[in-house]
Amino acid sequence: MASERTLPVASQSAGARYRDLLLRGGPFIALLILCAFLSIATPHFATVDNMFNITRQSAFTAILAIGQTFVILTGGIDLSVAAVAALSACVTTVLLTSPLVLFGHDFGILPAPVAITIGLLVGCACGALNGWIIARFKIPDFIATLGTMTVLRGVALIVTDGLPVPSFQSMSSGAALPSALIQAGSGSVLGMPISAIIAVLVALVGFYILRYRALGRAIYAVGGNREAARVSGIDIGRTKILAYMISGLTAAIAGLIMVGRLNSANALMADGEELRSIAAVVIGGTNLFGGEGGVIGSLVGAVIIGVLNNGLNLLNVSPFWQRIVQGLVIVLVVIFDQWRRRKSVNG
């Protein structure tokens, strides 16, 4: 009789462990399965050069997704991240290649550290604006960031006068981007792309904030149960603003990475990347309704998207079909995500 009573307990314990593994390790398992399939399907996939190429291609999306994770964990969504990346990149490159004239005083071309710092501050300011609009006027995150996305693209067009930066005219006069910025986007250390190293460092900082800082606990609380967070004394408006500021900062970092990779910036760069960043967060296991997930999963989600795109290209899949496959993958992942969460709750 004792053995009969202990058998269900052991069975439940094993089932709980499997569900926990599925919930926490799902993105890693999906990545391993995808890599195994592509390694068999094409001999060009599992090569060192291709692996480094995937990490370089995934870095931009990964950095955007890390900031997007903070926002989604609060129960929001940031559709302006790609526009913030473009504006920050454009401001930085303009300051690096054209004299700054303010109030009739010519400051000349700013030093690279100053110009890059201003670009990062622009990203923070854009994020703060998003958070303030949402917190102050109680506008849905989707609508607020949809509006600022359009506004920021317009500002970027004004800043660059609709031209790529550096333009052909500025390049003919000797203007060029600093080599350190180019290296950040296209260089490597011991074969590892610097952009991928930066993405990992950003992810580690994000992990530390969410796991060990009060802001991280507040973000999870706001996304998990807003009313309970309010009653417990958490300033919901401040938490939302800080989450959007982090998203804006990471978007600015991603924009500079893309500048280094392309050796230029333009107002329409990274078009559509906001949806890719959201997809990476969802694929990485973060709950779209907030309160559950993390940046490490989002990092893995971005790599999954990069591996999928790379694999489809190696298999010579038509770009038209690639869009269909990518869309189907996102829908199936969301369906699976909701299923596994219901199973986890219901036991």
Side-chain angles (χ1 to χ4, degrees):
M1 293 296 290
S3 62
E4 291 178 0
R5 282 194 293 268
T6 58
L7 182 60
V9 174
S11 176
Q12 290 174 3
S13 177
R17 286 198 298 269
Y18 289 136
R19 285 194 298 271
D20 185 68
L21 176 63
L22 186 64
L23 186 63
R24 297 179 181 275
F28 293 96
I29 296 172
L31 178 60
L32 291 175
I33 294 173
L34 182 60
C35 289
F37 169 76
L38 291 174
S39 298
I40 297 172
T42 170
H44 304 292
F45 176 79
T47 64
V48 174
D49 288 341
N50 192 52
M51 292 297 105
F52 285 147
N53 185 42
I54 290 173
T55 58
R56 180 178 286 108
Q57 293 173 346
S58 304
F60 178 83
T61 302
I63 297 173
L64 281 185
I66 291 165
Q68 186 78 254
T69 304
F70 280 79
V71 172
I72 291 180
L73 284 173
T74 66
I77 198 165
D78 191 352
L79 295 179
S80 70
V81 286
V84 173
L87 177 58
S88 300
C90 289
V91 169
T92 301
T93 51
V94 166
L95 294 176
L96 287 171
T97 57
S98 302
L100 175 63
V101 179
L102 287 177
F103 307 112
H105 182 74
D106 188 348
F107 292 90
I109 296 178
L110 297 182
V114 176
I116 291 173
T117 300
I118 292 175
L120 296 176
L121 290 175
V122 167
C124 285
C126 292
L129 176 64
N130 279 330
W132 179 77
I133 291 173
I134 293 166
R136 175 67 177 81
F137 299 103
K138 312 300 181 185
I139 299 175
D141 301 53
F142 181 92
I143 300 300
T145 57
L146 179 64
T148 55
M149 174 183 71
T150 306
V151 170
L152 296 177
R153 288 286 185 188
V155 174
L157 285 168
I158 293 173
V159 169
T160 61
D161 200 23
L163 299 172
V165 183
S167 63
F168 292 112
Q169 182 178 0
S170 61
M171 291 177 66
S172 63
S173 63
L177 299 178
S179 59
L181 185 58
I182 304 301
Q183 284 294 310
S186 57
S188 60
V189 175
L190 300 177
M192 176 63 70
I194 295 176
S195 56
I197 296 173
I198 294 173
V200 171
L201 292 176
V202 172
L204 291 175
V205 173
F207 175 82
Y208 172 76
I209 293 173
L210 289 175
R211 184 70 178 271
Y212 298 107
R213 305 303 299 176
L215 174 60
R217 293 189 290 272
I219 286 174
Y220 279 110
V222 169
N225 190 322
R226 181 168 298 196
E227 182 60 24
R230 185 188 65 79
V231 172
S232 64
I234 294 175
D235 189 331
I236 295 176
R238 176 178 176 274
T239 302
K240 294 281 286 187
I241 291 173
L242 289 174
Y244 274 97
M245 286 181 68
I246 291 173
S247 180
L249 176 60
T250 56
I253 294 172
L256 294 179
I257 294 295
M258 181 168 280
V259 168
R261 186 175 176 187
L262 301 178
N263 198 13
S264 67
N266 66 82
L268 301 180
M269 66 189 293
D271 187 34
E273 285 291 337
E274 60 279 337
L275 300 181
R276 196 183 296 261
S277 71
I278 295 169
V281 174
V282 175
I283 291 173
T286 295
N287 192 342
L288 265 177
F289 300 101
E292 186 178 358
V295 295
I296 303 301
S298 298
L299 184 64
V300 176
V303 175
I304 290 175
I305 292 176
V307 168
L308 180 62
N309 293 338
N310 179 268
L312 292 174
N313 286 328
L314 291 177
L315 293 173
N316 295 318
V317 176
S318 165
F320 307 137
W321 281 102
Q322 287 189 29
R323 287 179 172 268
I324 295 174
V325 171
Q326 292 165 3
L328 287 175
V329 167
I330 294 172
V331 172
L332 291 175
V333 165
V334 173
I335 292 174
F336 174 72
D337 179 71
Q338 294 303 308
W339 172 81
R340 64 177 178 149
R341 292 183 193 281
R342 286 196 298 270
K343 292 288 289 184
S344 178
V345 171
N346 297 330

